[in-house]
Amino acid sequence: MLKNSRKNIRLVAVAASLANGYWAWLTQTNTGHGPALTPVVMGMVSVWAVYFSLAWLLQGMRSK
């Protein structure tokens, strides 16, 4: 993979992570205490787990 495409894919992962965390923050019901932080963090971490899993898979497919 070229360095430019790797950088672009990482940038997409960052944007998706932030969007997923923001969506988790928006969709919480208001309990009077404000939104909880755990669903937001877990939403962001899930995107990075997929990113690193795919990166690991693709790296293994390219090895000789």
Side-chain angles (χ1 to χ4, degrees):
M1 214 184 248
L2 299 172
K3 285 220 181 244
N4 245 0
S5 61
R6 224 181 253 185
K7 182 180 175 183
N8 290 340
I9 291 172
R10 193 171 295 136
L11 184 63
V12 168
V14 167
S17 174
L18 292 174
N20 201 15
Y22 183 67
W23 182 255
W25 180 73
L26 283 179
T27 58
Q28 293 183 41
T29 57
N30 193 357
T31 60
H33 301 290
L37 188 59
T38 304
V40 173
V41 172
M42 292 306 291
M44 294 173 79
V45 168
S46 68
V47 173
W48 285 105
V50 170
Y51 169 76
F52 285 118
S53 296
L54 287 175
W56 176 71
L57 176 68
L58 293 175
Q59 182 68 29
M61 290 173 64
R62 282 196 315 248
S63 66
K64 293 182 182 182

Tab-separated table of all heavy atoms in Angstrom:
chain	number	residue	atom	x	y	z
A	1	MET	N	0.838	-1.174	0.000
A	1	MET	CA	0.000	0.000	0.000
A	1	MET	C	0.890	1.247	0.000
A	1	MET	O	1.906	1.283	0.675
A	1	MET	CB	-0.857	-0.021	1.259
A	1	MET	CG	-2.213	0.558	1.067
A	1	MET	SD	-3.100	0.591	2.628
A	1	MET	CE	-4.328	-0.618	2.266
A	2	LEU	N	0.534	2.216	-0.728
A	2	LEU	CA	1.305	3.446	-0.779
A	2	LEU	C	1.125	4.240	0.511
A	2	LEU	O	0.109	4.128	1.185
A	2	LEU	CB	0.865	4.283	-1.971
A	2	LEU	CG	1.048	3.643	-3.346
A	2	LEU	CD1	0.397	4.504	-4.407
A	2	LEU	CD2	2.519	3.457	-3.648
A	3	LYS	N	2.118	5.051	0.828
A	3	LYS	CA	2.043	5.845	2.054
A	3	LYS	C	0.863	6.811	2.023
A	3	LYS	O	0.211	7.029	3.029
A	3	LYS	CB	3.340	6.599	2.261
A	3	LYS	CG	4.448	5.737	2.739
A	3	LYS	CD	5.244	6.482	3.763
A	3	LYS	CE	6.383	5.604	4.207
A	3	LYS	NZ	6.307	5.248	5.571
A	4	ASN	N	0.592	7.393	0.862
A	4	ASN	CA	-0.521	8.328	0.742
A	4	ASN	C	-1.855	7.648	1.003
A	4	ASN	O	-2.711	8.198	1.677
A	4	ASN	CB	-0.523	8.964	-0.643
A	4	ASN	CG	-0.265	10.445	-0.568
A	4	ASN	OD1	-0.090	10.992	0.504
A	4	ASN	ND2	-0.246	11.080	-1.715
A	5	SER	N	-2.033	6.464	0.457
A	5	SER	CA	-3.308	5.781	0.655
A	5	SER	C	-3.455	5.330	2.107
A	5	SER	O	-4.546	5.342	2.657
A	5	SER	CB	-3.444	4.593	-0.292
A	5	SER	OG	-2.433	3.647	-0.068
A	6	ARG	N	-2.351	4.954	2.745
A	6	ARG	CA	-2.402	4.581	4.158
A	6	ARG	C	-2.812	5.777	5.011
A	6	ARG	O	-3.607	5.638	5.947
A	6	ARG	CB	-1.024	4.097	4.594
A	6	ARG	CG	-1.074	2.872	5.431
A	6	ARG	CD	0.305	2.465	5.835
A	6	ARG	NE	0.690	1.287	5.085
A	6	ARG	CZ	1.782	0.621	5.259
A	6	ARG	NH1	2.652	1.029	6.149
A	6	ARG	NH2	2.054	-0.444	4.552
A	7	LYS	N	-2.272	6.932	4.684
A	7	LYS	CA	-2.608	8.153	5.417
A	7	LYS	C	-4.080	8.505	5.218
A	7	LYS	O	-4.767	8.891	6.166
A	7	LYS	CB	-1.719	9.298	4.938
A	7	LYS	CG	-1.938	10.596	5.656
A	7	LYS	CD	-1.029	11.673	5.122
A	7	LYS	CE	-1.331	12.999	5.768
A	7	LYS	NZ	-0.513	14.067	5.209
A	8	ASN	N	-4.568	8.348	3.989
A	8	ASN	CA	-5.980	8.645	3.712
A	8	ASN	C	-6.910	7.682	4.432
A	8	ASN	O	-7.944	8.097	4.963
A	8	ASN	CB	-6.238	8.601	2.206
A	8	ASN	CG	-5.580	9.749	1.477
A	8	ASN	OD1	-5.248	10.764	2.082
A	8	ASN	ND2	-5.357	9.581	0.193
A	9	ILE	N	-6.537	6.412	4.474
A	9	ILE	CA	-7.378	5.429	5.167
A	9	ILE	C	-7.398	5.724	6.665
A	9	ILE	O	-8.435	5.623	7.316
A	9	ILE	CB	-6.884	3.999	4.873
A	9	ILE	CG1	-7.163	3.661	3.414
A	9	ILE	CG2	-7.558	2.994	5.784
A	9	ILE	CD1	-6.556	2.365	2.948
A	10	ARG	N	-6.247	6.103	7.213
A	10	ARG	CA	-6.187	6.444	8.639
A	10	ARG	C	-7.033	7.683	8.920
A	10	ARG	O	-7.712	7.756	9.944
A	10	ARG	CB	-4.745	6.665	9.054
A	10	ARG	CG	-4.585	6.701	10.559
A	10	ARG	CD	-3.151	6.714	11.002
A	10	ARG	NE	-2.501	5.459	10.624
A	10	ARG	CZ	-1.296	5.391	10.080
A	10	ARG	NH1	-0.611	6.470	9.858
A	10	ARG	NH2	-0.775	4.225	9.771
A	11	LEU	N	-7.028	8.650	8.009
A	11	LEU	CA	-7.835	9.848	8.169
A	11	LEU	C	-9.328	9.512	8.141
A	11	LEU	O	-10.110	10.044	8.929
A	11	LEU	CB	-7.501	10.862	7.070
A	11	LEU	CG	-8.200	12.208	7.155
A	11	LEU	CD1	-7.783	12.936	8.428
A	11	LEU	CD2	-7.852	13.038	5.943
A	12	VAL	N	-9.713	8.589	7.277
A	12	VAL	CA	-11.109	8.131	7.229
A	12	VAL	C	-11.479	7.438	8.540
A	12	VAL	O	-12.581	7.631	9.063
A	12	VAL	CB	-11.342	7.200	6.016
A	12	VAL	CG1	-12.674	6.497	6.102
A	12	VAL	CG2	-11.235	7.991	4.731
A	13	ALA	N	-10.552	6.649	9.093
A	13	ALA	CA	-10.821	5.972	10.365
A	13	ALA	C	-10.991	6.979	11.499
A	13	ALA	O	-11.858	6.813	12.356
A	13	ALA	CB	-9.701	4.994	10.690
A	14	VAL	N	-10.195	8.029	11.501
A	14	VAL	CA	-10.327	9.073	12.521
A	14	VAL	C	-11.684	9.760	12.394
A	14	VAL	O	-12.393	9.965	13.383
A	14	VAL	CB	-9.181	10.106	12.410
A	14	VAL	CG1	-9.464	11.340	13.235
A	14	VAL	CG2	-7.872	9.477	12.822
A	15	ALA	N	-12.064	10.108	11.170
A	15	ALA	CA	-13.351	10.773	10.953
A	15	ALA	C	-14.515	9.864	11.339
A	15	ALA	O	-15.474	10.304	11.985
A	15	ALA	CB	-13.478	11.206	9.496
A	16	ALA	N	-14.421	8.590	10.977
A	16	ALA	CA	-15.483	7.643	11.328
A	16	ALA	C	-15.557	7.448	12.836
A	16	ALA	O	-16.652	7.323	13.406
A	16	ALA	CB	-15.252	6.308	10.631
A	17	SER	N	-14.412	7.420	13.497
A	17	SER	CA	-14.381	7.270	14.942
A	17	SER	C	-15.059	8.447	15.634
A	17	SER	O	-15.879	8.272	16.536
A	17	SER	CB	-12.931	7.150	15.404
A	17	SER	OG	-12.840	7.132	16.791
A	18	LEU	N	-14.718	9.650	15.187
A	18	LEU	CA	-15.345	10.833	15.778
A	18	LEU	C	-16.838	10.882	15.484
A	18	LEU	O	-17.644	11.226	16.355
A	18	LEU	CB	-14.654	12.093	15.258
A	18	LEU	CG	-13.219	12.288	15.741
A	18	LEU	CD1	-12.598	13.486	15.035
A	18	LEU	CD2	-13.165	12.454	17.235
A	19	ALA	N	-17.225	10.526	14.265
A	19	ALA	CA	-18.648	10.527	13.914
A	19	ALA	C	-19.413	9.483	14.718
A	19	ALA	O	-20.528	9.744	15.185
A	19	ALA	CB	-18.815	10.268	12.412
A	20	ASN	N	-18.816	8.309	14.911
A	20	ASN	CA	-19.477	7.264	15.679
A	20	ASN	C	-19.616	7.667	17.149
A	20	ASN	O	-20.653	7.437	17.770
A	20	ASN	CB	-18.680	5.961	15.553
A	20	ASN	CG	-19.505	4.744	15.864
A	20	ASN	OD1	-20.715	4.797	15.912
A	20	ASN	ND2	-18.834	3.636	16.067
A	21	GLY	N	-18.581	8.280	17.711
A	21	GLY	CA	-18.663	8.764	19.088
A	21	GLY	C	-19.695	9.873	19.237
A	21	GLY	O	-20.453	9.901	20.212
A	22	TYR	N	-19.737	10.772	18.278
A	22	TYR	CA	-20.730	11.852	18.317
A	22	TYR	C	-22.146	11.299	18.208
A	22	TYR	O	-23.050	11.738	18.914
A	22	TYR	CB	-20.443	12.849	17.184
A	22	TYR	CG	-21.361	14.037	17.176
A	22	TYR	CD1	-21.327	14.967	18.201
A	22	TYR	CD2	-22.274	14.224	16.145
A	22	TYR	CE1	-22.168	16.060	18.204
A	22	TYR	CE2	-23.124	15.320	16.130
A	22	TYR	CZ	-23.064	16.233	17.165
A	22	TYR	OH	-23.907	17.312	17.163
A	23	TRP	N	-22.326	10.300	17.335
A	23	TRP	CA	-23.647	9.680	17.186
A	23	TRP	C	-24.063	8.993	18.483
A	23	TRP	O	-25.215	9.080	18.905
A	23	TRP	CB	-23.640	8.688	16.029
A	23	TRP	CG	-24.967	8.055	15.799
A	23	TRP	CD1	-25.340	6.786	16.116
A	23	TRP	CD2	-26.128	8.670	15.235
A	23	TRP	NE1	-26.638	6.575	15.776
A	23	TRP	CE2	-27.148	7.715	15.229
A	23	TRP	CE3	-26.389	9.942	14.730
A	23	TRP	CZ2	-28.415	7.990	14.735
A	23	TRP	CZ3	-27.660	10.213	14.238
A	23	TRP	CH2	-28.640	9.240	14.248
A	24	ALA	N	-23.127	8.302	19.136
A	24	ALA	CA	-23.433	7.653	20.415
A	24	ALA	C	-23.805	8.692	21.467
A	24	ALA	O	-24.683	8.463	22.291
A	24	ALA	CB	-22.239	6.821	20.884
A	25	TRP	N	-23.157	9.844	21.426
A	25	TRP	CA	-23.470	10.903	22.373
A	25	TRP	C	-24.857	11.487	22.105
A	25	TRP	O	-25.612	11.766	23.025
A	25	TRP	CB	-22.406	11.990	22.268
A	25	TRP	CG	-22.617	13.142	23.192
A	25	TRP	CD1	-22.440	13.149	24.535
A	25	TRP	CD2	-23.058	14.454	22.849
A	25	TRP	NE1	-22.731	14.386	25.048
A	25	TRP	CE2	-23.112	15.206	24.028
A	25	TRP	CE3	-23.395	15.057	21.639
A	25	TRP	CZ2	-23.497	16.533	24.042
A	25	TRP	CZ3	-23.782	16.384	21.647
A	25	TRP	CH2	-23.830	17.107	22.836
A	26	LEU	N	-25.218	11.650	20.830
A	26	LEU	CA	-26.511	12.238	20.476
A	26	LEU	C	-27.698	11.321	20.768
A	26	LEU	O	-28.778	11.798	21.094
A	26	LEU	CB	-26.537	12.598	18.985
A	26	LEU	CG	-25.798	13.841	18.558
A	26	LEU	CD1	-25.919	14.020	17.053
A	26	LEU	CD2	-26.326	15.071	19.267
A	27	THR	N	-27.502	10.031	20.630
A	27	THR	CA	-28.634	9.107	20.728
A	27	THR	C	-28.935	8.645	22.150
A	27	THR	O	-29.861	7.867	22.344
A	27	THR	CB	-28.388	7.868	19.851
A	27	THR	OG1	-27.171	7.244	20.259
A	27	THR	CG2	-28.330	8.237	18.392
A	28	GLN	N	-28.197	9.121	23.124
A	28	GLN	CA	-28.473	8.729	24.504
A	28	GLN	C	-29.689	9.468	25.028
A	28	GLN	O	-29.907	10.634	24.718
A	28	GLN	CB	-27.275	9.044	25.395
A	28	GLN	CG	-26.073	8.217	25.086
A	28	GLN	CD	-24.949	8.518	26.032
A	28	GLN	OE1	-25.168	8.680	27.224
A	28	GLN	NE2	-23.750	8.618	25.507
A	29	THR	N	-30.461	8.770	25.844
A	29	THR	CA	-31.603	9.427	26.480
A	29	THR	C	-31.089	10.301	27.609
A	29	THR	O	-30.116	9.964	28.287
A	29	THR	CB	-32.587	8.389	27.042
A	29	THR	OG1	-31.887	7.554	27.965
A	29	THR	CG2	-33.183	7.553	25.937
A	30	ASN	N	-31.714	11.412	27.796
A	30	ASN	CA	-31.282	12.351	28.828
A	30	ASN	C	-31.830	11.900	30.173
A	30	ASN	O	-33.024	11.869	30.399
A	30	ASN	CB	-31.770	13.757	28.488
A	30	ASN	CG	-31.083	14.799	29.335
A	30	ASN	OD1	-30.290	14.473	30.212
A	30	ASN	ND2	-31.383	16.048	29.065
A	31	THR	N	-30.921	11.546	31.079
A	31	THR	CA	-31.326	11.091	32.409
A	31	THR	C	-31.212	12.204	33.436
A	31	THR	O	-31.337	11.948	34.629
A	31	THR	CB	-30.441	9.906	32.848
A	31	THR	OG1	-29.084	10.340	32.876
A	31	THR	CG2	-30.598	8.727	31.913
A	32	GLY	N	-30.972	13.412	33.007
A	32	GLY	CA	-30.822	14.520	33.923
A	32	GLY	C	-29.381	14.773	34.321
A	32	GLY	O	-29.061	15.798	34.893
A	33	HIS	N	-28.502	13.829	34.037
A	33	HIS	CA	-27.094	13.976	34.381
A	33	HIS	C	-26.239	14.229	33.158
A	33	HIS	O	-25.027	14.292	33.267
A	33	HIS	CB	-26.587	12.715	35.086
A	33	HIS	CG	-27.343	12.401	36.332
A	33	HIS	ND1	-27.251	13.173	37.472
A	33	HIS	CD2	-28.217	11.416	36.617
A	33	HIS	CE1	-28.024	12.663	38.402
A	33	HIS	NE2	-28.626	11.592	37.902
A	34	GLY	N	-26.825	14.307	31.995
A	34	GLY	CA	-26.049	14.473	30.768
A	34	GLY	C	-25.675	13.115	30.199
A	34	GLY	O	-25.905	12.074	30.819
A	35	PRO	N	-25.096	13.100	29.030
A	35	PRO	CA	-24.751	11.819	28.403
A	35	PRO	C	-23.602	11.118	29.127
A	35	PRO	O	-22.714	11.757	29.671
A	35	PRO	CB	-24.354	12.210	26.989
A	35	PRO	CG	-24.019	13.650	27.062
A	35	PRO	CD	-24.793	14.238	28.191
A	36	ALA	N	-23.666	9.801	29.130
A	36	ALA	CA	-22.596	9.000	29.733
A	36	ALA	C	-21.413	8.934	28.781
A	36	ALA	O	-21.570	8.962	27.562
A	36	ALA	CB	-23.112	7.608	30.048
A	37	LEU	N	-20.234	8.810	29.319
A	37	LEU	CA	-19.024	8.805	28.514
A	37	LEU	C	-18.703	7.417	27.949
A	37	LEU	O	-18.120	7.306	26.873
A	37	LEU	CB	-17.849	9.305	29.363
A	37	LEU	CG	-16.529	9.543	28.656
A	37	LEU	CD1	-16.706	10.581	27.552
A	37	LEU	CD2	-15.483	9.996	29.641
A	38	THR	N	-19.127	6.361	28.627
A	38	THR	CA	-18.771	5.003	28.211
A	38	THR	C	-19.268	4.649	26.809
A	38	THR	O	-18.496	4.135	26.008
A	38	THR	CB	-19.272	3.984	29.241
A	38	THR	OG1	-18.740	4.326	30.514
A	38	THR	CG2	-18.863	2.583	28.870
A	39	PRO	N	-20.536	4.890	26.454
A	39	PRO	CA	-20.963	4.557	25.091
A	39	PRO	C	-20.222	5.348	24.020
A	39	PRO	O	-19.965	4.831	22.929
A	39	PRO	CB	-22.456	4.896	25.069
A	39	PRO	CG	-22.876	4.926	26.479
A	39	PRO	CD	-21.671	5.333	27.260
A	40	VAL	N	-19.864	6.568	24.322
A	40	VAL	CA	-19.138	7.396	23.368
A	40	VAL	C	-17.748	6.812	23.120
A	40	VAL	O	-17.328	6.636	21.968
A	40	VAL	CB	-19.033	8.852	23.875
A	40	VAL	CG1	-18.152	9.681	22.978
A	40	VAL	CG2	-20.420	9.467	24.013
A	41	VAL	N	-17.051	6.475	24.186
A	41	VAL	CA	-15.710	5.906	24.057
A	41	VAL	C	-15.773	4.547	23.370
A	41	VAL	O	-14.957	4.239	22.498
A	41	VAL	CB	-15.023	5.811	25.436
A	41	VAL	CG1	-13.722	5.044	25.352
A	41	VAL	CG2	-14.788	7.205	26.000
A	42	MET	N	-16.738	3.722	23.734
A	42	MET	CA	-16.865	2.400	23.116
A	42	MET	C	-17.202	2.516	21.631
A	42	MET	O	-16.740	1.710	20.825
A	42	MET	CB	-17.912	1.557	23.844
A	42	MET	CG	-17.499	1.170	25.249
A	42	MET	SD	-15.898	0.358	25.343
A	42	MET	CE	-16.261	-1.172	24.552
A	43	GLY	N	-17.996	3.493	21.263
A	43	GLY	CA	-18.297	3.721	19.849
A	43	GLY	C	-17.055	4.097	19.072
A	43	GLY	O	-16.845	3.647	17.944
A	44	MET	N	-16.207	4.908	19.677
A	44	MET	CA	-14.971	5.323	19.005
A	44	MET	C	-13.964	4.171	18.951
A	44	MET	O	-13.300	3.962	17.938
A	44	MET	CB	-14.375	6.525	19.727
A	44	MET	CG	-15.258	7.758	19.629
A	44	MET	SD	-14.689	9.124	20.631
A	44	MET	CE	-13.377	9.756	19.610
A	45	VAL	N	-13.877	3.407	20.020
A	45	VAL	CA	-12.935	2.283	20.067
A	45	VAL	C	-13.329	1.195	19.074
A	45	VAL	O	-12.471	0.540	18.477
A	45	VAL	CB	-12.836	1.732	21.503
A	45	VAL	CG1	-12.112	0.407	21.557
A	45	VAL	CG2	-12.142	2.743	22.395
A	46	SER	N	-14.629	1.004	18.866
A	46	SER	CA	-15.071	-0.040	17.936
A	46	SER	C	-14.593	0.250	16.515
A	46	SER	O	-14.224	-0.669	15.784
A	46	SER	CB	-16.591	-0.184	17.968
A	46	SER	OG	-17.216	0.960	17.426
A	47	VAL	N	-14.568	1.504	16.121
A	47	VAL	CA	-14.069	1.860	14.791
A	47	VAL	C	-12.584	1.538	14.685
A	47	VAL	O	-12.125	0.988	13.678
A	47	VAL	CB	-14.320	3.357	14.496
A	47	VAL	CG1	-13.646	3.778	13.201
A	47	VAL	CG2	-15.815	3.628	14.420
A	48	TRP	N	-11.821	1.846	15.723
A	48	TRP	CA	-10.385	1.559	15.683
A	48	TRP	C	-10.105	0.063	15.719
A	48	TRP	O	-9.136	-0.406	15.129
A	48	TRP	CB	-9.668	2.283	16.817
A	48	TRP	CG	-9.549	3.734	16.490
A	48	TRP	CD1	-10.263	4.753	17.022
A	48	TRP	CD2	-8.699	4.314	15.502
A	48	TRP	NE1	-9.901	5.940	16.431
A	48	TRP	CE2	-8.939	5.699	15.504
A	48	TRP	CE3	-7.756	3.809	14.623
A	48	TRP	CZ2	-8.272	6.568	14.659
A	48	TRP	CZ3	-7.091	4.682	13.786
A	48	TRP	CH2	-7.345	6.044	13.806
A	49	ALA	N	-10.958	-0.705	16.404
A	49	ALA	CA	-10.777	-2.159	16.410
A	49	ALA	C	-10.954	-2.722	15.002
A	49	ALA	O	-10.183	-3.590	14.568
A	49	ALA	CB	-11.777	-2.800	17.373
A	50	VAL	N	-11.939	-2.233	14.283
A	50	VAL	CA	-12.149	-2.678	12.906
A	50	VAL	C	-10.976	-2.240	12.027
A	50	VAL	O	-10.476	-3.017	11.209
A	50	VAL	CB	-13.488	-2.146	12.346
A	50	VAL	CG1	-13.601	-2.398	10.856
A	50	VAL	CG2	-14.645	-2.774	13.088
A	51	TYR	N	-10.519	-1.011	12.191
A	51	TYR	CA	-9.399	-0.501	11.393
A	51	TYR	C	-8.150	-1.359	11.582
A	51	TYR	O	-7.525	-1.789	10.618
A	51	TYR	CB	-9.113	0.954	11.775
A	51	TYR	CG	-7.817	1.470	11.204
A	51	TYR	CD1	-7.720	1.816	9.867
A	51	TYR	CD2	-6.685	1.595	12.002
A	51	TYR	CE1	-6.532	2.283	9.331
A	51	TYR	CE2	-5.498	2.052	11.477
A	51	TYR	CZ	-5.418	2.399	10.146
A	51	TYR	OH	-4.242	2.842	9.624
A	52	PHE	N	-7.786	-1.623	12.841
A	52	PHE	CA	-6.575	-2.399	13.090
A	52	PHE	C	-6.744	-3.865	12.687
A	52	PHE	O	-5.793	-4.495	12.239
A	52	PHE	CB	-6.144	-2.287	14.550
A	52	PHE	CG	-5.514	-0.958	14.857
A	52	PHE	CD1	-6.079	-0.107	15.783
A	52	PHE	CD2	-4.367	-0.555	14.202
A	52	PHE	CE1	-5.500	1.115	16.063
A	52	PHE	CE2	-3.781	0.683	14.468
A	52	PHE	CZ	-4.353	1.516	15.406
A	53	SER	N	-7.954	-4.401	12.807
A	53	SER	CA	-8.196	-5.773	12.356
A	53	SER	C	-8.019	-5.888	10.845
A	53	SER	O	-7.393	-6.830	10.353
A	53	SER	CB	-9.603	-6.219	12.734
A	53	SER	OG	-9.754	-6.256	14.120
A	54	LEU	N	-8.561	-4.941	10.117
A	54	LEU	CA	-8.412	-4.960	8.660
A	54	LEU	C	-6.961	-4.707	8.246
A	54	LEU	O	-6.460	-5.339	7.316
A	54	LEU	CB	-9.334	-3.932	8.011
A	54	LEU	CG	-10.810	-4.279	8.017
A	54	LEU	CD1	-11.629	-3.127	7.455
A	54	LEU	CD2	-11.065	-5.549	7.240
A	55	ALA	N	-6.277	-3.816	8.939
A	55	ALA	CA	-4.873	-3.556	8.629
A	55	ALA	C	-4.038	-4.812	8.875
A	55	ALA	O	-3.168	-5.164	8.077
A	55	ALA	CB	-4.350	-2.393	9.469
A	56	TRP	N	-4.307	-5.511	9.967
A	56	TRP	CA	-3.588	-6.747	10.281
A	56	TRP	C	-3.887	-7.817	9.239
A	56	TRP	O	-2.996	-8.531	8.788
A	56	TRP	CB	-3.994	-7.215	11.670
A	56	TRP	CG	-3.414	-8.514	12.088
A	56	TRP	CD1	-2.121	-8.775	12.406
A	56	TRP	CD2	-4.129	-9.745	12.221
A	56	TRP	NE1	-1.986	-10.099	12.744
A	56	TRP	CE2	-3.205	-10.714	12.639
A	56	TRP	CE3	-5.460	-10.112	12.039
A	56	TRP	CZ2	-3.560	-12.024	12.864
A	56	TRP	CZ3	-5.813	-11.420	12.273
A	56	TRP	CH2	-4.871	-12.353	12.673
A	57	LEU	N	-5.155	-7.933	8.830
A	57	LEU	CA	-5.547	-8.915	7.824
A	57	LEU	C	-4.871	-8.629	6.488
A	57	LEU	O	-4.312	-9.526	5.854
A	57	LEU	CB	-7.065	-8.923	7.651
A	57	LEU	CG	-7.619	-9.830	6.568
A	57	LEU	CD1	-7.410	-11.287	6.956
A	57	LEU	CD2	-9.078	-9.543	6.346
A	58	LEU	N	-4.890	-7.385	6.052
A	58	LEU	CA	-4.279	-7.025	4.779
A	58	LEU	C	-2.765	-7.190	4.812
A	58	LEU	O	-2.167	-7.579	3.818
A	58	LEU	CB	-4.660	-5.602	4.390
A	58	LEU	CG	-6.141	-5.400	4.064
A	58	LEU	CD1	-6.429	-3.927	3.822
A	58	LEU	CD2	-6.560	-6.232	2.874
A	59	GLN	N	-2.165	-6.893	5.940
A	59	GLN	CA	-0.716	-7.093	6.071
A	59	GLN	C	-0.385	-8.577	5.956
A	59	GLN	O	0.590	-8.946	5.302
A	59	GLN	CB	-0.219	-6.554	7.415
A	59	GLN	CG	1.270	-6.676	7.611
A	59	GLN	CD	2.046	-5.773	6.674
A	59	GLN	OE1	1.567	-4.721	6.270
A	59	GLN	NE2	3.248	-6.176	6.346
A	60	GLY	N	-1.180	-9.452	6.529
A	60	GLY	CA	-0.967	-10.891	6.430
A	60	GLY	C	-1.183	-11.413	5.032
A	60	GLY	O	-0.508	-12.349	4.585
A	61	MET	N	-2.102	-10.811	4.305
A	61	MET	CA	-2.366	-11.255	2.936
A	61	MET	C	-1.214	-10.877	2.011
A	61	MET	O	-0.980	-11.538	1.003
A	61	MET	CB	-3.673	-10.640	2.429
A	61	MET	CG	-4.904	-11.207	3.103
A	61	MET	SD	-6.415	-10.348	2.656
A	61	MET	CE	-6.545	-10.687	0.946
A	62	ARG	N	-0.476	-9.805	2.354
A	62	ARG	CA	0.619	-9.360	1.498
A	62	ARG	C	1.930	-10.066	1.813
A	62	ARG	O	2.855	-10.022	1.026
A	62	ARG	CB	0.820	-7.857	1.676
A	62	ARG	CG	-0.185	-7.030	0.944
A	62	ARG	CD	0.308	-5.606	0.837
A	62	ARG	NE	0.842	-5.139	2.096
A	62	ARG	CZ	0.303	-4.202	2.846
A	62	ARG	NH1	-0.792	-3.619	2.461
A	62	ARG	NH2	0.852	-3.829	3.970
A	63	SER	N	2.023	-10.703	2.969
A	63	SER	CA	3.305	-11.340	3.323
A	63	SER	C	3.577	-12.526	2.412
A	63	SER	O	2.667	-13.166	1.882
A	63	SER	CB	3.287	-11.778	4.781
A	63	SER	OG	2.342	-12.791	4.965
A	64	LYS	N	4.842	-12.831	2.234
A	64	LYS	CA	5.232	-13.916	1.310
A	64	LYS	C	5.546	-15.180	2.044
A	64	LYS	O	5.964	-15.280	3.096
A	64	LYS	CB	6.431	-13.483	0.490
A	64	LYS	CG	6.067	-12.369	-0.438
A	64	LYS	CD	7.256	-11.987	-1.265
A	64	LYS	CE	6.863	-10.817	-2.165
A	64	LYS	NZ	7.909	-10.402	-3.017
